Amino acid sequence: MNRKLCFTLFTLSVLVLCAGLALATKDPELKQCKHQCRARQQYDEKQKEQCARTCEEYYKEKKQRERHREGESEEEKEWGGRHEWMNPGEPAEKQLRQCQRQCDRQEEGGQQRALCRLRCQEKYRREKEGEGGQHNTQEEEEEEEGDEERQWQGQEEEEEDDNPYVFHKHHFTSRVTTQHGRVAVLPKFTQRSKLLRGLEKYRLGILIANPQTFVTPTHLDADAVFFVSWGQGTITVIRENNRESYNVKRGDIIRVPSGNTFYVTNTDDDEKLYIVKFIKSINLPGQYEAFYGAGGENPDSFLRAFSWEILESAFKTKRDSLERVFFQQDQGPMVKASKQQIRALSRSQEGHSIWPFAGESRGTFNLFGKRPSHSNNFGELFEADSNDFRPLEDLDIMVSYANISKGAMAAPFYNSRSTKVAMVIAGDGYIEIACPHVSRSSSERRHQGSSTREEGSATYHKVSSRIRTDSAYIVPAGHPFVTVASQKNNLEVVCFEINAEGNIRFPLAGRNNIFKVMEKEAKELAFNTRGDEVERVFGNQDQDWFFKGPSRRHQQQQGRAYE
């Protein structure tokens, strides 16, 4: 009996080993990924096994997408059919939410959760495509979206004149617009308000590239930090005489120094590539330019600004040959690439970026490759500073990503030194900021006689606004604020925090709030209330950083506009 059991276990082990080897021989990227897992000296055996499983998950995800495009999805076979992941009779939207909640409960780490949520979304998309008439018609959906859009626009216009800290989609101006994508940036922050003078050197933008799109080489007279908020692709940076190419995906951070030529390729056949850009100007505060060397008439190559005599001497080439090169390109800064060109660009790597170890090079770092700094059932926070990614050091920037569960909120807190520049990459909700600077004119019209203060004493006004995908907001240093997700969707926000060195976050609620550290007597004197009662108030919340949020009714009342 024991011999049979041992033989059975041995056979199963061999099968598992063979399956792993079969996977590894199919893709060199997977093979090298697993090899580097085994080579990690700081990993114990359990961590190495988890690392290898993560590599296989990535490989399977990639292959499943390829087979799905060919109509032979391996995942559909594995699940026994496209509908078996659903509970019979349950709406697809509810199943998607349940699936994502299960992902959020995983303890394996940010990468596993991100992959899990991606699989949920992919299954939901396929289910919706297959259901056809079981849902609203396209016209009905478009009408609903139009009503919601008009509601949003009305609220955004209402708050626009009074709220200097929040920006919405219509505030972005396009720098590049083609059929293959666009580049858009917010105007200089100081154009909105003098209160944002501390940000006069900075700009916030977004690059959107359609599938199989090549963004032509350019350099900026500004330093830039890119965050890949969705999709996958290749970013190539020319550093002196060295070309460094990096395969990037959601969560990757890359630093592009001023003057370094770079180009971007969306290597995916189906998904758009979204990159959030945080830019620090070098020449004029808040102004920067993109310089296209490779180009023609559109984009206009800066080489064409030189005289023909200079060009002929510099390139040792006749004018007619130069004209054939510098007058051919007229398709714009974003062009369609063939599959062969995509494969060549994504494999042509002098820099090191085999997934998931790109963060160890000087070129990229993946936020989801490290454990969240704070995580519970109500949300999670990932952070990267100069200790994680050395290229952030001279810019004195921290990059963070918060995923607040629907119906939840982040703890109210303030930064000691950092000013937060945030962009919503998915979902919706609202923010509230306690501000001593903003004019109280609008607030007074709504709340006459709400409070009185002596001349010159501190008076704080609530600045609140609804936020959604592509909204951006600013929180100056020292300003207490709170972020709340809607009851319908998680709220996902990427943040760039300047003056990161030495910054401290001071939580105002939760297990470790600053008031709990104060002496009882200090609280009695400050609040003019019995100390034990104050301590009960500040000690009730047993969660840390992420909590259950306000009720739906309260959200509808509070998240409308500036107050």
Side-chain angles (χ1 to χ4, degrees):
M1 182 69 178
N2 289 335
R3 288 182 179 179
K4 288 184 178 180
L5 179 60
C6 291
F7 177 75
T8 302
L9 292 174
F10 173 76
T11 303
L12 290 172
S13 300
V14 171
L15 288 173
V16 171
L17 177 62
C18 290
L21 290 173
L23 284 174
T25 56
K26 289 181 181 179
D27 194 295
E29 184 179 2
L30 174 62
K31 185 175 181 180
Q32 185 162 353
C33 181
K34 285 190 167 185
H35 170 74
Q36 294 202 30
C37 287
R38 294 192 295 271
R40 313 313 294 169
Q41 296 181 357
Q42 69 269 33
Y43 287 3
D44 58 28
E45 289 302 317
K46 185 176 180 181
Q47 289 173 318
K48 290 179 181 179
E49 291 175 4
Q50 179 61 45
C51 179
R53 285 197 295 271
T54 305
C55 293
E56 290 179 3
E57 288 285 344
Y58 167 75
Y59 172 81
K60 289 178 181 178
E61 196 72 41
K62 183 174 71 173
K63 287 300 180 184
Q64 285 167 4
R65 293 177 68 179
E66 292 174 357
R67 292 185 181 120
H68 177 64
R69 287 193 293 269
E70 298 170 0
E72 299 177 357
S73 171
E74 186 67 25
E75 186 181 21
E76 290 181 10
K77 298 176 183 178
E78 180 181 340
W79 286 82
R82 181 170 49 80
H83 291 274
E84 286 197 11
W85 78 283
M86 308 288 287
N87 289 333
E90 294 283 9
E93 291 81 359
K94 183 176 180 180
Q95 292 301 312
L96 172 63
R97 293 193 295 269
Q98 291 176 349
C99 181
Q100 291 181 334
R101 277 199 296 270
Q102 292 176 356
C103 295
D104 293 338
R105 295 191 188 103
Q106 290 186 6
E107 298 179 356
E108 287 85 348
Q111 276 182 342
Q112 285 290 82
R113 279 192 291 269
L115 284 169
C116 180
R117 291 179 67 86
L118 183 63
R119 287 196 295 271
C120 292
Q121 292 169 352
E122 181 67 14
K123 293 170 192 172
Y124 170 74
R125 183 179 66 81
R126 295 178 191 171
E127 186 69 21
K128 293 285 285 184
E129 288 176 353
E131 287 181 353
Q134 295 182 18
H135 292 275
N136 291 341
T137 64
Q138 183 177 354
E139 291 79 6
E140 290 173 338
E141 292 175 354
E142 290 177 352
E143 184 177 353
E144 291 176 1
E145 291 174 0
D147 291 340
E148 184 177 358
E149 184 69 23
R150 286 187 289 273
Q151 181 183 9
W152 269 100
Q153 288 179 352
Q155 293 170 357
E156 290 167 3
E157 290 171 0
E158 181 183 355
E159 71 188 31
E160 186 169 336
D161 293 335
D162 298 316
N163 191 339
Y165 299 124
V166 178
F167 303 81
H168 296 293
K169 186 182 295 185
H170 67 272
H171 289 111
F172 285 83
T173 58
S174 293
R175 286 204 164 195
V176 174
T177 302
T178 75
Q179 61 178 323
H180 303 297
R182 64 190 290 258
V183 176
V185 296
L186 283 178
K188 292 174 61 175
F189 293 116
T190 50
Q191 289 182 8
R192 185 70 177 274
S193 172
K194 292 181 180 179
L195 294 174
L196 303 179
R197 282 177 300 206
L199 296 172
E200 66 176 350
K201 293 183 179 180
Y202 298 92
R203 302 289 291 275
L204 183 68
I206 187 167
L207 181 151
I208 305 171
N210 291 346
Q212 296 183 336
T213 290
F214 177 73
V215 183
T216 57
T218 186
H219 75 263
L220 307 177
D221 59 345
D223 288 314
V225 176
F226 294 171
F227 176 81
V228 181
S229 62
W230 189 258
Q232 61 182 359
T234 300
I235 298 178
T236 300
V237 183
I238 308 299
R239 304 181 192 270
E240 298 181 3
N241 293 322
N242 184 39
R243 183 187 74 246
E244 298 182 3
S245 296
Y246 303 94
N247 286 339
V248 296
K249 62 184 180 302
R250 186 171 186 261
D252 276 337
I253 305 167
I254 184 167
R255 160 83 186 279
V256 181
S258 175
N260 283 200
T261 295
F262 68 95
Y263 43 97
V264 179
T265 309
N266 183 348
T267 58
D268 198 275
D269 292 340
D270 302 310
E271 299 281 356
K272 290 184 179 182
L273 175 64
Y274 291 81
I275 297 176
V276 182
K277 306 190 301 179
F278 191 60
I279 297 164
K280 183 180 182 181
S281 60
I282 297 296
N283 291 325
L284 299 174
Q287 296 185 22
Y288 76 96
E289 296 295 337
F291 293 82
Y292 294 94
E297 294 187 349
N298 184 19
D300 186 15
S301 171
F302 57 73
L303 293 172
R304 302 199 323 160
F306 294 105
S307 64
W308 287 112
E309 293 80 6
I310 292 294
L311 294 176
E312 286 178 322
S313 298
F315 294 105
K316 201 177 179 179
T317 303
K318 295 293 185 180
R319 175 172 175 171
D320 58 346
S321 296
L322 293 173
E323 287 180 343
R324 285 195 296 271
V325 172
F326 294 142
F327 284 86
Q328 290 300 314
Q329 181 57 272
D330 60 358
Q331 300 179 53
M334 295 182 173
V335 297
K336 185 79 170 180
S338 68
K339 289 187 177 181
Q340 291 79 7
Q341 292 169 325
I342 294 289
R343 281 196 294 268
L345 288 166
S346 61
R347 291 174 181 172
S348 178
Q349 297 176 342
E350 291 189 1
H352 168 67
S353 70
I354 295 296
W355 186 89
F357 303 101
E360 297 182 8
S361 75
R362 67 173 177 169
T364 64
F365 180 86
N366 190 277
L367 264 183
F368 305 140
K370 59 178 292 190
R371 295 181 65 86
S373 54
H374 301 283
S375 179
N376 59 27
N377 289 334
F378 301 107
E380 55 186 353
L381 176 67
F382 296 87
E383 301 173 299
D385 58 16
S386 59
N387 294 319
D388 301 301
F389 187 40
R390 188 66 63 185
L392 296 177
E393 184 173 21
D394 64 315
L395 294 179
D396 197 13
I397 288 175
M398 170 185 276
V399 182
S400 62
Y401 163 91
N403 183 3
I404 306 173
S405 302
K406 61 182 180 179
M409 61 183 284
F413 73 95
Y414 64 90
N415 284 311
S416 63
R417 298 187 70 251
S418 289
T419 292
K420 180 189 292 288
V421 180
M423 185 165 184
V424 180
I425 60 177
D428 59 292
Y430 68 95
I431 61 167
E432 292 185 1
I433 305 173
C435 181
H437 306 300
V438 175
S439 169
R440 203 165 167 241
S441 58
S442 293
S443 179
E444 287 172 344
R445 286 196 298 269
R446 295 185 179 94
H447 304 288
Q448 289 289 342
S450 59
S451 62
T452 58
R453 294 286 188 274
E454 292 183 6
E455 184 76 24
S457 65
T459 304
Y460 307 101
H461 313 297
K462 180 178 68 176
V463 176
S464 82
S465 174
R466 287 187 64 181
I467 52 176
R468 59 168 175 170
T469 303
D470 294 338
S471 294
Y473 59 92
I474 313 296
V475 183
H479 285 51
F481 77 103
V482 65
T483 311
V484 184
S486 73
Q487 296 287 337
K488 294 182 179 180
N489 303 297
N490 282 21
L491 180 62
E492 301 178 44
V493 183
V494 60
C495 302
F496 303 91
E497 300 185 29
I498 65 172
N499 302 323
E501 182 67 28
N503 180 63
I504 300 173
R505 290 192 180 121
F506 288 104
L508 304 173
R511 242 188 351 248
N512 299 308
N513 72 77
I514 60 174
F515 298 101
K516 292 180 70 173
V517 183
M518 297 178 185
E519 301 94 337
K520 182 178 179 180
E521 292 75 15
K523 286 179 272 199
E524 285 179 341
L525 292 167
F527 290 97
N528 194 25
T529 304
R530 289 175 49 189
D532 55 355
E533 185 174 351
V534 177
E535 288 181 341
R536 277 197 301 272
V537 170
F538 288 102
N540 277 339
Q541 180 59 262
D542 59 352
Q543 297 291 335
D544 191 25
W545 282 106
F546 296 102
F547 317 140
K548 181 180 178 182
S551 65
R552 181 188 299 271
R553 181 179 178 184
H554 185 73
Q555 287 201 22
Q556 290 172 347
Q557 293 173 346
Q558 295 295 99
R560 290 182 177 175
Y562 167 84
E563 293 185 358

